[in-house]
Amino acid sequence: MATEKRNKEEEEVKTDDGSPKIKPRPIVQLGIFLVAHSPVFSVVFSAAGVLALLILPLLAKNTYISENALMPGSARSMLSNRDVSDGSKLVKDIKNYRLNHEGQGVEVQKLVGKYMSEMVAEVYYQKFHPEGNQFHPLHFFSGPDSYTLLDNVSCASYGVNVAGIIRAPRGDGKESIVLVTPYDFINGGDYEALSLGITSTLFSLLARVTWLSKDIIWLVADSRYGDYRPVAAWLSEYHSPSFKVSDLLKCGERNTADNFRRAGTVAAALVLKVDGRSERFEDTLSIYAEASNGQMPNLDLINVVNYLAVHRQGFYVKVEKVVSLLSSSWLKIIGEIFEAVGKLAHTLNPDWNFGIPVADYLEGSATLASSLYSQALGIPTGPHGAFRDNQVDAITLKVSPRFPPDSKTRQHDFFLRGARLLEGTIRSVNNLLEKFHQSFFLYLLTSPSKFISVGVYMIAFALLVAPLPMVAASLYIEGCKALTKSTDNPTENLKSWKWLDAAKQVFALHLFGFIVTLLPYFICQVPGQHSPSNRSIMWGTTSSSLLLITFAAIPGCSPFTSRHHGTHWAVLKSVTISAAFIGLCLMSIINFATAEIGALLLVPTCLMAQPIKPALRSRRIKSMLGAFCSMVLLTIGFPVMFFAISKGLFGEGLVGLSLGGEFWTWLESLWAWKSATYLYIGMVHLPCWLLCLCILFHPS
């Protein structure tokens, strides 16, 4: 009996020609099942990805201090009235001097340097060039120290930074902490002077304490050309000194080459700005953390500042949010649904506490959208971005007092609380024996005290792009079967080569996207003064002409090619989806926020793309509805149209006839800051959008 059973099993595992039949592995069987049912799974995964993005505010965790050595608030403040008086005296002298000597920025710089010298600091001055804003493709991936300098700049146009260094009595000079206060020495206002007063109050204390183990650098950045440029110029000289002879030497006795001083490796940096009067009844502290290409500082640095500001100094702490979402009716309905589901789950099991009130959901969603958008843009939200480009953890603190700048009665308390906040943060960083590394570097903020880690928010992106390889495989099989039935030539039935025609079309349009990405450089070289609207027209006209040339030069590339000479649309869509999947995955490594927003736009557009002619011929409701959705998604996915919609979403309104100029200005800011989002738009999103347009008008 056992022998007969064994012989039966041997017969079952053999094929017709007698060779042994290999049983597919479970993972292969699962892949075949997913490809066979790709339409259903693409809908399920896409809906799950959008749902996962909407429930992120519910999954936010409370922030916590990961590094035990930080110990924020454990030490008693050593600030005294004498230190506050020093800061108040500096502010008073600056205001008096500006009233009596209008426009004399050099003298104000000397005044600040004099106060630093009286605190036994090593003082020096650094001149820097104003930076031009010109796109150059060869400098796109260059370091933060490569700048385009303006020509014919007079000596009066050079900016001058003032810096002072306090050597740590318990340190070895190998590490330092940087305090930055941007100040316009020519047109600085009263609120900007208050930031100098706070830092001077702290600097007066740090000059005489004995617990410092890291050097302290106070940089007063000349912000007449913006807040970022002076800090970046100082960091460039700090880390990469230039030994070539500069034309700065002809502009006075203070020059960069002779007296520039350095301390140790920068462990952390804090940028302090006092900006306008608070709209609330308490002093407001805004935290800006986003740097270039979605880089973020270590979360512990934000946690320390937030803890000290809220629990020690009584500041109202906030981060940026999309204000228009706070009054969104559809988002409020979603919040009410989540709140009801949370209450129902809590009644079933008291341990299930994932529901939050509607107001908290709206606040978290608005803050999350702002954090995601700021990271996706890839543009620093403050001067701290210059430090992050040099792998230094830094944040910008913008304080808004609740009193007018000329109120002397409230100024003393404001200086005391602001300086104590900085003192506590410096004491925490001073305790570290190594760089920040315990907490997260990849995260999204939903409030100053809540965050979403990379392990949570990457799920939404993974669900969105998961259908792409399944649908690509299914369409390839379908397209190959259709091509096999349509030809009698056996040499054309080699399925392994049928995707080459579609690959050539995809490659041609991606090459076109690369050329379009480089066009702004050549447009900027056109002589004469041209407005952004005119430059956008030149860009659009040249790009359209190149697209027509591409369609005419490459056989089968145009969507209007005869169906007998073109590629089957299913194979073309398969290769297009594969290219979109590769581009999105590569972008997620560079800037995850850009990949997330790009997936929300590109994945539905690629999945819904289908020829419109068969739908018009069949006149069935299902086909007509699919073609309509495809046209709507293509319209929304066009970069200029999505830019206009995002402007309206952020409460800025549509820009009407100046849309092209506004779009050019926006792109100009992306390439000026070397944002990888600019490359994604030109080399991934635009080619895939054009390919979907070719599929829509395919002569099927």
Side-chain angles (χ1 to χ4, degrees), residues 25-289:
R25 295 177 180 271
I27 188 66
V28 177
Q29 293 179 342
L30 178 61
I32 296 173
F33 177 77
L34 292 176
V35 171
H37 301 83
S38 59
V40 176
F41 284 106
S42 62
V43 174
V44 172
F45 279 108
S46 299
V50 175
L51 180 63
L53 195 62
L54 291 174
I55 66 174
L56 284 181
L58 280 68
L59 304 177
K61 296 181 180 180
N62 293 325
T63 57
Y64 55 91
I65 307 296
S66 300
E67 179 59 70
N68 295 327
L70 290 171
M71 297 184 295
S74 60
R76 183 178 178 182
S77 176
M78 300 177 63
L79 280 168
S80 63
N81 291 329
R82 168 196 165 187
D83 302 317
V84 179
S85 299
D86 291 340
S88 301
K89 187 173 182 299
L90 174 60
V91 174
K92 181 180 178 181
D93 290 345
I94 291 177
K95 290 181 179 179
N96 292 336
Y97 197 89
R98 293 182 62 84
L99 290 175
N100 300 326
H101 305 80
E102 184 177 357
Q104 297 294 326
V106 177
E107 300 301 326
V108 179
Q109 296 159 4
K110 291 181 179 179
L111 180 63
V112 174
K114 176 185 175 184
Y115 270 80
M116 291 182 179
S117 299
E118 292 176 352
M119 299 174 191
V120 200
E122 300 177 13
V123 183
Y124 63 94
Y125 304 86
Q126 182 218 5
K127 290 188 176 72
F128 62 91
H129 293 271
E131 180 186 359
N133 185 16
Q134 185 177 3
F135 173 67
H136 197 294
L138 298 180
H139 295 166
F140 196 88
F141 292 106
S142 55
D145 56 338
S146 60
Y147 299 103
T148 304
L149 304 179
L150 297 178
D151 298 328
N152 301 323
V153 179
S154 63
C155 291
S157 300
Y158 289 113
V160 179
N161 294 326
V162 185
I165 301 177
I166 295 176
R167 302 296 177 180
R170 295 197 176 192
D172 52 5
K174 293 183 179 179
E175 289 185 296
S176 63
I177 304 171
V178 180
L179 296 172
V180 181
T181 49
Y183 183 75
D184 188 348
F185 292 106
I186 303 297
N187 302 309
D190 293 337
Y191 280 111
E192 288 183 275
L194 295 181
S195 62
L196 294 178
I198 294 175
T199 314
S200 178
T201 299
L202 175 65
F203 209 64
S204 176
L205 167 68
L206 298 178
R208 65 175 192 274
V209 297
T210 59
W211 46 261
L212 269 181
S213 60
K214 292 179 174 61
D215 298 337
I216 303 296
I217 305 175
W218 178 18
L219 174 65
V220 182
D222 190 351
S223 61
R224 76 178 85 172
Y225 301 114
D227 295 341
Y228 185 92
R229 172 57 183 152
V231 179
W234 180 84
L235 280 169
S236 175
E237 183 65 24
Y238 190 88
H239 290 109
S240 303
S242 176
F243 298 100
K244 65 181 180 179
V245 178
S246 173
D247 56 355
L248 292 171
L249 297 176
K250 67 182 181 181
C251 297
E253 58 184 8
R254 298 192 304 269
N255 57 74
T256 310
D258 293 342
N259 63 357
F260 193 96
R261 299 180 180 274
R262 295 171 179 82
T265 304
V266 181
L270 298 173
V271 181
L272 178 67
K273 296 181 64 177
V274 179
D275 183 39
R277 189 172 180 179
S278 175
E279 299 177 355
R280 301 177 61 88
F281 293 106
E282 62 264 90
D283 297 331
T284 303
L285 175 67
S286 301
I287 300 178
Y288 297 88

Side-chain angles (χ1 to χ4, degrees), residues 46 50 464 468 598-609 629-630 633:
S46 299
V50 175
L464 283 172
L468 295 182
L600 285 173
L601 291 174
L602 201 56
V603 170
T605 304
C606 291
L607 293 179
M608 291 296 297
C629 292
S630 180
L633 290 172

Side-chain angles (χ1 to χ4, degrees), residues 453-595:
S453 66
V454 60
V456 176
Y457 68 68
M458 70 179 297
I459 297 175
F461 175 78
L463 289 172
L464 283 172
V465 300
L468 295 182
M470 295 186 296
V471 176
S474 176
L475 287 170
Y476 177 73
I477 296 172
E478 177 186 345
C480 287
K481 290 181 179 179
L483 288 174
T484 302
K485 294 178 181 179
S486 63
T487 180
D488 298 329
N489 190 353
T491 60
E492 295 183 5
N493 289 336
L494 296 175
K495 296 183 180 181
S496 59
W497 297 103
K498 289 181 177 179
W499 57 272
L500 284 180
D501 291 335
K504 282 189 277 188
Q505 184 172 349
V506 172
F507 175 77
L509 288 181
H510 276 78
L511 182 61
F512 163 78
F514 174 73
I515 296 174
V516 170
T517 306
L518 298 181
L519 278 180
Y521 169 69
F522 301 100
I523 294 176
C524 291
Q525 305 302 316
V526 177
Q529 298 292 332
H530 301 281
S531 64
S533 298
N534 291 337
R535 288 184 172 179
S536 65
I537 293 173
M538 294 168 60
W539 193 20
T541 304
T542 309
S543 301
S544 302
S545 303
L546 288 174
L547 183 62
L548 293 177
I549 293 174
T550 303
F551 285 160
I554 301 179
C557 189
S558 172
F560 308 106
T561 306
S562 173
R563 61 182 299 177
H564 299 290
H565 298 88
T567 307
H568 192 273
W569 72 269
V571 179
L572 177 60
K573 183 176 178 179
S574 173
V575 182
T576 300
I577 290 177
S578 301
F581 177 73
I582 295 173
L584 288 171
C585 290
L586 289 176
M587 193 62 213
S588 67
I589 301 174
I590 303 171
N591 189 336
F592 190 89
T594 300

Side-chain angles (χ1 to χ4, degrees), residues 372-388:
L372 193 67
Y373 180 75
S374 297
Q375 292 188 31
L377 275 184
I379 299 176
T381 53
H384 64 275
F387 286 95
R388 193 60 208 156

